[in-house]
Amino acid sequence: TYQKVFTININDVNDEPTDISIDSDNIDENNAVDDIVGNLSTTDEDAGDTYTYSLVAGTGDTDNGSFTISGNTLKAGEVFNYESKSSYSIRVQTDDGNGGTYQKVFTININDVNDEPT
């Protein structure tokens, strides 16, 4: 008989992102266009990945046109009026740059603030 020790190397492959979070999902009404709603972040086993975010088509994308994304920041694309509409639905995708993506629907709530008399 003959015995030999082998070393088996495991190659790390890209893991897809598993979640997207936002640090704030609300904004005051009567805001300015480009006001910040919140900052996006991604959950992924690959600690060194860099993520890009975009608004994408699909279930829950009803109000994508009312927002923009710059870097990881979700911004208002219009001036919101709580009395007209109090919540918006958007669909966001994160891309890890290595072929892995993840999409999630968020509800963005508009805060009612005291309006000045007209």
Side-chain angles (χ1 to χ4, degrees):
T1 66
Y2 178 77
Q3 295 180 353
K4 185 172 182 175
V5 175
F6 289 95
T7 300
I8 299 173
N9 296 315
I10 308 298
N11 295 326
D12 188 19
V13 297
N14 184 56
D15 295 297
E16 292 187 358
T18 57
D19 197 13
I20 305 171
S21 300
I22 190 165
D23 63 3
S24 174
D25 63 359
N26 60 69
I27 185 170
D28 289 345
E29 68 175 331
N30 306 321
N31 58 287
V33 172
D34 286 335
D35 275 358
I36 295 172
V37 176
N39 294 303
L40 299 159
S41 60
T42 299
T43 302
D44 189 337
E45 288 186 27
D46 300 315
D49 284 352
T50 302
Y51 306 97
T52 56
Y53 300 92
S54 56
L55 295 160
V56 293
T59 303
D61 71 349
T62 308
D63 301 305
N64 280 6
S66 298
F67 298 87
T68 62
I69 294 178
S70 177
N72 72 324
T73 304
L74 180 67
K75 295 183 176 186
E78 65 182 61
V79 177
F80 300 114
N81 181 348
Y82 175 87
E83 285 74 26
S84 295
K85 188 170 182 175
S86 62
S87 67
Y88 290 74
S89 179
I90 61 171
R91 186 178 187 93
V92 177
Q93 176 174 285
T94 182
D95 185 326
D96 68 8
N98 295 306
T101 62
Y102 181 83
Q103 297 180 3
K104 185 172 182 177
V105 174
F106 291 95
T107 299
I108 306 301
N109 297 298
I110 308 305
N111 298 325
D112 189 16
V113 297
N114 190 27
D115 293 316
E116 294 183 26
T118 56

